[in-house]
Amino acid sequence: MTEKISIIIPAYNASATIDRCLTSLLNQNIRETYQIIVLNDGSTDNTLTKLEKYKNDKRVTIINKLNTGASDTRNQGLKLVKSEYVTFVDADDYVETDYLESLLKQYVKNNCDLSIVGYYKEDDNKEIRFQGAGEKKNLTQEEALHDIFISTGFEGYLWNKLFKLSIIKENKISFDDKLKIAEDLLFCCKYLSHCSCISLNPEVKYHYVVNSDSQINSNKYGSDFKKESLDVLKVYSLIKFIVAPMNYSKVVSAINASILWSSTSILRNIYLAPNKKEIPKKLIDNLRSNQKKYRHDFLENDILPSRDKIIYWLNYYFPSLFAFLWRKVNLKGNGF
């Protein structure tokens, strides 16, 4: 029998969290059948040993593979999926018992092409630090492509969404394994380019646990600047190329505002980086150019909180000083 839903989980050195993740998924109250595909991505800890105890559960498929990164691992997982729907869960995270039911119910009720649920971002101690905002409604393609850039909304994550496998397969949508950051956002926007109705239910069903070893936290202020942080700008350029034929001017403006904000954040990282002197001046000039080029889109757009406009001006005119103060008072965003 073919399962209704498949859940793809890339697991790399997840021995401390994989039990919690799988337990929450195996305790789903949904009536339809579902499959959990865990791909051990070359873990060097005892993740594989932890997974062994699930090998007799027919709902769980365990794949042991060489380390190739999250994007390639998810692509390999997609090749194994034969269900009607698919979602992606991170091995560090866990879900509510009605996570799958809430995602699937939106398809049944709204005849949509994508369903989305709400989430918490929390630390290792389960302290809630942020909750995704939004209201229960159906979105058009244009609205979803615009709202995915709202930093307090449903955003471009994989784990709070349920995808139709037919849309993925028919349009040959996959993850770009050359990207280390924002590859999930690019995947979501590729998918949205083939959707007409998107259903959002912001009730919290997913718990995203932010940990110090994640890729995003490896680029925290005060650490060495890594060129991988520029991937987000590549992603925005690729999304603009996808959106261009649609003539969604508001979406393009939202992307431009995001380019400015990411350029500002990257510059702040550079000013605080121990290897600052190794950064090519041309790169800094290009990032500064983005700050000026997309200023109108940023200041006139409502996709980011009001405080960010003040932060932008301080960054623009007093970059080094503001970077120092930012680190001194330990300011944080919704990704903490």
Side-chain angles (χ1 to χ4, degrees):
M1 179 174 63
T2 302
E3 290 78 12
K4 189 78 171 177
I5 300 173
S6 292
I7 306 157
I8 296 175
I9 306 175
Y12 175 73
N13 289 354
S15 61
T17 60
I18 193 64
D19 279 326
R20 178 183 62 186
C21 177
L22 288 176
T23 298
S24 70
L25 288 168
L26 291 170
N27 286 333
Q28 293 296 293
N29 59 13
I30 194 171
R31 292 183 178 180
E32 287 79 2
T33 57
Y34 60 95
Q35 171 193 34
I36 303 171
I37 303 173
V38 187
L39 298 103
N40 179 45
D41 187 30
S43 296
T44 56
D45 64 358
N46 63 339
T47 296
L48 187 58
T49 302
K50 288 285 186 75
L51 290 172
E52 284 295 311
K53 66 182 180 182
Y54 299 97
K55 66 182 180 180
N56 294 324
D57 192 316
K58 294 181 179 179
R59 294 170 294 176
V60 181
T61 299
I62 300 169
I63 306 295
N64 191 37
K65 57 182 287 296
L66 295 175
N67 178 255
T68 57
S71 291
D72 181 68
T73 300
R74 291 187 182 113
N75 284 335
Q76 291 188 40
L78 280 173
K79 292 177 182 178
L80 302 174
V81 173
K82 296 181 180 179
S83 57
E84 187 173 353
Y85 303 100
V86 61
T87 188
F88 303 86
V89 168
D90 287 353
D92 295 336
D93 306 338
Y94 63 101
V95 300
E96 296 291 318
T97 55
D98 58 347
Y99 165 69
L100 292 179
E101 181 184 47
S102 180
L103 284 166
L104 186 59
K105 187 181 293 183
Q106 293 179 71
Y107 274 99
V108 176
K109 183 178 179 181
N110 301 317
N111 191 29
C112 59
D113 299 311
L114 177 68
S115 64
I116 309 172
V117 293
Y119 63 91
Y120 284 138
K121 286 185 179 180
E122 55 192 66
D123 59 26
D124 293 326
N125 297 317
K126 292 190 176 182
E127 180 182 350
I128 298 169
R129 308 288 289 273
F130 178 81
Q131 178 178 347
E135 60 182 82
K136 192 173 184 177
K137 61 180 178 179
N138 287 342
L139 302 161
T140 64
Q141 180 186 69
E142 182 176 7
E143 289 170 334
L145 282 167
H146 173 270
D147 291 0
I148 201 169
F149 294 101
I150 298 177
S151 64
T152 56
F154 59 82
E155 299 194 64
Y157 304 120
L158 301 168
W159 32 255
N160 61 337
K161 300 173 179 68
L162 184 65
F163 303 87
K164 276 185 178 178
L165 186 67
S166 59
I167 291 179
I168 293 174
K169 296 292 187 181
E170 290 169 9
N171 298 286
K172 298 180 180 178
I173 301 171
S174 63
F175 293 92
D176 188 335
D177 58 13
K178 296 181 179 63
L179 298 170
K180 299 296 183 184
I181 296 175
E183 74 284 354
D184 48 355
L185 172 62
L186 179 58
F187 181 92
C188 287
C189 287
K190 287 179 183 177
Y191 185 92
L192 283 173
S193 70
H194 302 285
C195 296
S196 58
C197 177
I198 298 88
S199 177
L200 170 63
N201 180 357
E203 293 177 10
V204 174
K205 306 300 177 185
Y206 194 94
H207 296 259
Y208 173 67
V209 182
V210 179
N211 65 78
S212 58
D213 295 326
S214 66
Q215 178 66 43
I216 192 169
N217 277 299
S218 69
N219 292 287
K220 282 294 184 183
Y221 304 119
S223 60
D224 276 348
F225 172 76
K226 299 176 182 177
K227 63 179 182 179
E228 288 84 359
S229 63
L230 299 173
D231 280 358
V232 67
L233 299 180
K234 296 178 185 176
V235 167
Y236 290 139
S237 295
L238 291 169
I239 295 172
K240 282 179 76 171
F241 182 78
I242 293 169
V243 172
M246 303 176 187
N247 295 316
Y248 293 156
S249 59
K250 191 176 180 182
V251 175
V252 173
S253 179
I255 298 171
N256 289 341
S258 297
I259 292 173
L260 178 148
W261 186 244
S262 292
S263 297
T264 298
S265 298
I266 293 169
L267 275 169
R268 189 159 59 244
N269 183 306
I270 289 174
Y271 289 127
L272 290 172
N275 62 339
K276 175 184 174 182
K277 293 182 179 179
E278 301 172 13
I279 312 302
K281 183 178 182 299
K282 184 178 180 181
L283 171 58
I284 295 176
D285 290 343
N286 287 339
L287 294 170
R288 291 281 292 176
S289 176
N290 286 343
Q291 286 186 305
K292 187 174 182 180
K293 181 178 180 180
Y294 300 119
R295 182 181 295 168
H296 176 79
D297 294 285
F298 179 81
L299 295 177
E300 296 300 319
N301 206 297
D302 59 359
I303 67 166
L304 294 165
S306 299
R307 73 158 194 164
D308 290 351
K309 295 177 182 180
I310 298 173
I311 291 174
Y312 161 70
W313 285 116
L314 290 171
N315 268 281
Y316 188 78
Y317 286 108
F318 311 102
S320 297
L321 175 61
F322 187 74
F324 171 79
L325 293 174
W326 183 281
R327 185 182 182 189
K328 192 73 174 176
V329 299
N330 196 27
L331 290 175
K332 298 176 180 178
N334 67 19
F336 45 110

